[in-house]
Amino acid sequence: MADNVIEARGLLKTYGSQRAVDAIDLDIQRGEIFGLLGPNGAGKTTTILMMLGLTEISGGTVQVLGFNPVREPLEVKRRVGYLPDAVGFYDHLTAHENLAYTARLLAIPRSQSGRRIMEALESVKLADVAGKRVATFSRGMRQRLGIAEIVMKQAEVAILDEPTSGLDPHATFELLEMIRGLKRAGVAVLLSSHLLDRVQSVCDRVALFNKGKIALMGTVVQLANQVLGAGHPFLVEAQGADIAGALRGIEGVQTVVPEGEGGWRVMADRDVRAAAAQRIVSVGGSLTRLADLQPSLEEVYTRYFQEARHAA
Amino acid sequence: MPRSAVRVGSPFTGLAPVFMKELSDHLSSMRMMVLTLFVIVFGALPVGFALQDLRNVVVSDPYLFLRIFTVTPERVGLSFIVALNFIIPLMAIGLGFDSVNSEFNRRTLSRVLSQPIYRDALLLGKFLGGLTTLAVALVALWLIVLGAGLLLLGLPPRGVEVARGIGFLVVAIAYGGVWLAVAMLFSVIFRSTATSALCALGLWLFFFILWPMIASAITIGFAPAQVTSIDQYVAIQELGLALQRLSPGTLFSEAVVGLLNPETRTLGFMLPMQMRGAIPEAPLPLDQSLILIWPQLTGLVAGMIVVFAVAYVVFQREEVRA
Ligand SMILES: Nc1ncnc2c1ncn2[C@@H]1O[C@H](COP(=O)(O)OP(=O)(O)O)[C@@H](O)[C@H]1O
Ligand SMILES: [Mg+2]
């Protein structure tokens, strides 16, 4: 309890008869990066807005750092940094001026604000464009400026809505690195995304959202085990012998499925990669590739909802 | 969660930074330059011609300075206060029509509202910023007129004239406040800035062109075919006047006439026999003039507050997401 920065119980949001967020329970722990993942319209943004007291709650409760966002929104917003989906800044002001306005809203003393703004801009590599008008900034730079705002705020919790959407792979990589930086600074991070695989690498835990409900919650590995079955999948590429037969003979191997030219996808109940390499060499094959397969969240998601639909 | 759940923390947290930002944005904006130019052109014309006419006045007039504002020059047919009657709404609309919806469209609203500030402070800060900008412009204009009068008439205004002039400024600012609140209301209702500007300008045209006609049409509709008594006649006239006064422009011009024409004894409708006994041309003392225009001034301020309150209620219920 003490280590949860956000606690939602039966949190509900209705628009007319539609349940945009359907009585969810959610705990975000101190110091973790939590991913709220799901397709567009799943209810991620609505959940976030309720946590910040920016939209009314239809039912249930939510506590952020021990405060109730309905009754004490100022206390919540003083301590929580928020990067909205497609964040905007005042184009006619410079990056520095934009953050200075936020600093005044936060009542940061003038003696500190200059230093805190520059340090924040440095941490997201925008210090050299601090005096440039935001109108000239790319999408990625704006997202980083949004992160700088959270850093300057010295927030205990950062809530990032679709932080990587619209970014190219390089900008995405940089941004994810900055999110890890927030975690290293002790900030709990809640991020949402509709691109499951993009962000799975930074998330300690994830919740898969669908139609306002949380379908699955836990670490990526836990979810994979739960949905795809326990096991260690890996990929083998080799030539020169009856590779499939050799692989099937290894103790612990459950399935061997051909994949591509000269490749096999192997599922085992434990890590048998060393044994597999030995066996292939001993039957005279030449091994060209042996790769551990990360469980993919996309796959977990698709499989889970396929099964859910079949069950229904 | 019930709407009535008690909020903690002052609704004015963050008011000062919002106010300062709005003010500095307005004062440094291109739009402000255009509005200033506009005001100078439309204000300078009547004032310039009025001054030329007044220089030829031979009879000594104790309120010569105030005539600069009220006299209708022969060549332009438009007095300064009549010009202000339509310039002020235009300025106010120009300052307020995109005040909230532009924050939506720039996607800054949810970021700003995620800082420790209530929507109350944001809306009020924007309103006060706009109103102060308007006040600055009007004071500047007023000083220019005063300076021009000083130069061209070659005599300084008397204290009582300055006092009446300041009263006029207050009325003008309140009048601007009404239209600023109207423009901000539309900026809260419509996401599109063009729609909001169009609606505000439409309302302005309605009050200037259509409302006088509608008001008299209604009055005629209510009037009996045959007016048989003076009481009936008075009642009809008063209905017409009451309808006219729903337009802020009417309140403004009545209040301004009361202040700047010290001879004005009544702003309502008056029967000839009531005038009997009143000394014609005898100016009222300032305090009497103030009492005379007090209802008009409070009407303007009340209108401003009511429209702002409506904007506030609509804004509270609005979704912040773009
Ligand atoms: N203002 C609104 N009025 C009605 N329905 C809305 C409103 N805002 C969002 N919704 C609905 O709520 C659901 C959840 O939306 P949202 O939280 O934005 O999803 P996500 O962020 O996961 O894409 C969607 O089905 C959306 O259509
Ligand atoms: Mg969303």
Side-chain angles (χ1 to χ4, degrees):
Chain A
M1 159 97 198
D3 261 19
N4 286 341
V5 290
I6 300 180
E7 281 187 3
R9 293 290 174 270
L11 191 58
L12 177 74
K13 177 73 181 184
T14 53
Y15 287 111
S17 63
Q18 185 203 1
R19 291 182 161 220
V21 175
D22 196 355
I24 59 162
D25 296 331
L26 192 64
D27 289 330
I28 315 293
Q29 290 156 13
R30 197 169 285 281
E32 75 172 342
I33 300 183
F34 189 94
L36 214 52
L37 309 178
N40 285 326
K44 307 181 295 291
T45 301
T46 309
T47 305
I48 288 172
L49 292 178
M50 285 193 284
M51 289 171 176
L52 289 163
L54 290 179
T55 193
E56 276 176 53
I57 293 174
S58 312
T61 60
V62 61
Q63 292 267 320
V64 180
L65 294 163
F67 295 102
N68 177 344
V70 178
R71 287 195 63 243
E72 305 150 295
L74 298 188
E75 296 301 326
V76 170
K77 294 193 282 187
R78 215 164 263 141
R79 293 168 176 80
V80 177
Y82 173 46
L83 178 67
D85 188 4
V87 64
F89 288 90
Y90 298 105
D91 278 350
H92 63 288
L93 300 181
T94 66
H96 192 285
E97 286 166 344
N98 265 289
L99 292 196
Y101 178 45
T102 310
R104 285 196 295 275
L105 288 174
L106 286 162
I108 297 175
R110 254 170 209 285
S111 57
Q112 292 177 27
S113 68
R115 184 180 47 80
R116 271 167 70 171
I117 291 168
M118 279 322 288
E119 280 173 7
L121 287 172
E122 259 154 44
S123 75
V124 297
K125 305 195 184 82
L126 286 177
D128 48 335
V129 290
K132 280 236 171 78
R133 294 196 313 140
V134 174
T136 62
F137 281 21
S138 69
R139 179 78 200 265
M141 289 162 87
R142 283 164 203 257
Q143 296 292 97
R144 271 149 59 193
L145 188 54
I147 302 271
E149 187 175 78
I150 295 171
V151 171
M152 177 197 73
K153 194 170 183 175
Q154 297 177 345
E156 293 172 56
V157 179
I159 298 184
L160 319 175
D161 198 358
E162 305 274 0
T164 62
S165 80
L167 299 188
D168 63 51
H170 178 69
T172 302
F173 175 81
E174 276 189 333
L175 199 80
L176 292 180
E177 201 38 57
M178 283 160 195
I179 293 172
R180 286 196 187 92
L182 285 175
K183 179 187 170 176
R184 278 195 295 276
V187 181
V189 180
L190 171 66
L191 63 83
S192 88
S193 180
H194 68 281
L195 300 169
L196 278 54
D197 286 340
R198 275 259 180 115
V199 296
Q200 79 173 87
S201 61
V202 290
C203 293
D204 298 312
R205 288 195 308 139
V206 299
L208 294 187
F209 245 75
N210 190 42
K211 300 203 179 89
K213 287 201 173 75
I214 292 180
L216 290 166
M217 182 151 60
T219 65
V220 174
V221 173
Q222 278 171 355
L223 298 196
N225 288 350
Q226 195 178 329
V227 174
L228 304 176
H232 290 259
F234 62 97
L235 190 76
V236 173
E237 281 175 22
Q239 294 103 30
D242 176 15
I243 306 291
L247 288 169
R248 285 201 183 92
I250 301 167
E251 200 183 324
V253 168
Q254 294 159 328
T255 58
V256 178
V257 186
E259 192 168 284
E261 190 73 15
W264 287 270
R265 185 189 184 80
V266 184
M267 179 63 92
D269 62 5
R270 63 192 98 128
D271 190 356
V272 296
R273 282 175 297 165
Q278 237 166 20
R279 176 64 69 89
I280 289 166
V281 173
S282 71
V283 298
S286 65
L287 184 63
T288 52
R289 182 155 176 241
L290 182 66
D292 205 7
L293 287 176
Q294 288 292 335
S296 137
L297 265 184
E298 198 80 55
E299 206 175 328
V300 170
Y301 191 89
T302 317
R303 182 80 71 83
Y304 180 82
F305 286 107
Q306 259 169 13
E307 277 164 17
R309 213 170 305 128
H310 286 171
Chain B
M1 202 69 32
R3 289 194 73 84
S4 57
V6 190
R7 293 188 315 186
V8 180
S10 161
F12 300 117
T13 313
L15 179 63
V18 174
F19 170 75
M20 293 308 291
K21 172 171 185 300
E22 287 299 312
L23 193 59
S24 87
D25 278 1
H26 280 317
L27 292 180
S28 63
S29 70
M30 193 61 205
R31 186 186 309 174
M32 191 62 195
M33 307 254 284
V34 173
L35 287 174
T36 312
L37 200 73
F38 189 75
V39 168
I40 288 174
V41 169
F42 276 84
L45 234 67
V47 168
F49 285 115
L51 280 169
Q52 285 195 347
D53 288 1
L54 289 174
R55 285 171 81 178
N56 303 328
V57 171
V58 270
V59 281
S60 79
D61 183 341
Y63 290 101
L64 189 62
F65 238 92
L66 295 183
R67 309 292 179 225
I68 306 174
F69 294 90
T70 54
V71 95
T72 307
E74 279 161 22
R75 269 168 293 174
V76 286
L78 183 75
S79 70
F80 183 62
I81 54 171
V82 171
L84 280 191
N85 202 332
F86 70 83
I87 293 174
I88 290 175
L90 221 54
M91 284 182 71
I93 291 171
L95 289 173
F97 78 96
D98 65 347
S99 115
V100 175
N101 48 16
S102 72
E103 299 258 358
F104 267 115
N105 299 336
R106 284 181 291 190
R107 294 172 177 271
T108 46
L109 191 67
S110 50
R111 191 175 55 81
V112 168
L113 286 179
S114 76
Q115 308 307 331
I117 175 175
Y118 280 118
R119 297 182 190 202
D120 316 34
L122 188 68
L123 200 66
L124 189 59
K126 281 178 168 289
F127 180 74
L128 294 179
L131 196 62
T132 307
T133 311
L134 206 62
V136 167
L138 288 172
V139 169
L141 187 64
W142 187 80
L143 288 175
I144 290 171
V145 172
L146 225 61
L150 209 63
L151 281 178
L152 292 175
L153 298 179
L155 84 172
R158 296 183 301 136
V160 65
E161 287 179 294
V162 173
R164 283 176 181 270
I166 289 173
F168 155 75
L169 263 182
V170 171
V171 171
I173 291 169
Y175 178 49
V178 175
W179 283 101
L180 184 65
V182 167
M184 283 184 66
L185 171 62
F186 286 123
S187 88
V188 170
I189 295 176
F190 298 109
R191 291 282 166 98
S192 147
T193 52
T195 310
S196 131
L198 220 59
C199 284
L201 289 174
L203 193 65
W204 172 70
L205 280 178
F206 171 81
F207 272 126
F208 266 79
I209 297 173
L210 287 181
W211 185 243
M213 293 194 253
I214 294 175
S216 61
I218 294 175
T219 313
I220 291 167
F222 270 95
Q226 201 79 46
V227 178
T228 50
S229 70
I230 288 188
D231 283 352
Q232 243 180 8
Y233 180 68
V234 172
I236 293 162
Q237 292 296 332
E238 274 176 353
L239 171 68
L241 200 60
L243 288 173
Q244 293 287 359
R245 281 178 179 159
L246 291 178
S247 160
T250 307
L251 295 180
F252 172 74
S253 56
E254 284 185 346
V256 164
V257 165
L259 276 172
L260 298 181
N261 271 340
E263 297 82 11
T264 313
R265 312 206 135 243
T266 171
L267 296 172
F269 165 75
M270 206 163 59
L271 288 171
M273 53 209 189
Q274 289 173 301
M275 306 246 274
R276 212 172 303 149
I279 314 154
E281 297 291 305
L284 283 184
L286 177 58
D287 57 339
Q288 291 299 312
S289 289
L290 283 178
I291 291 171
L292 185 68
I293 63 129
W294 199 247
Q296 273 70 14
L297 181 59
T298 43
L300 286 174
V301 172
M304 174 174 93
I305 292 173
V306 167
V307 178
F308 182 81
V310 174
Y312 171 82
V313 169
V314 177
F315 187 45
Q316 288 293 337
R317 297 168 161 270
E318 203 133 281
E319 288 279 336
V320 296
R321 73 176 99 193

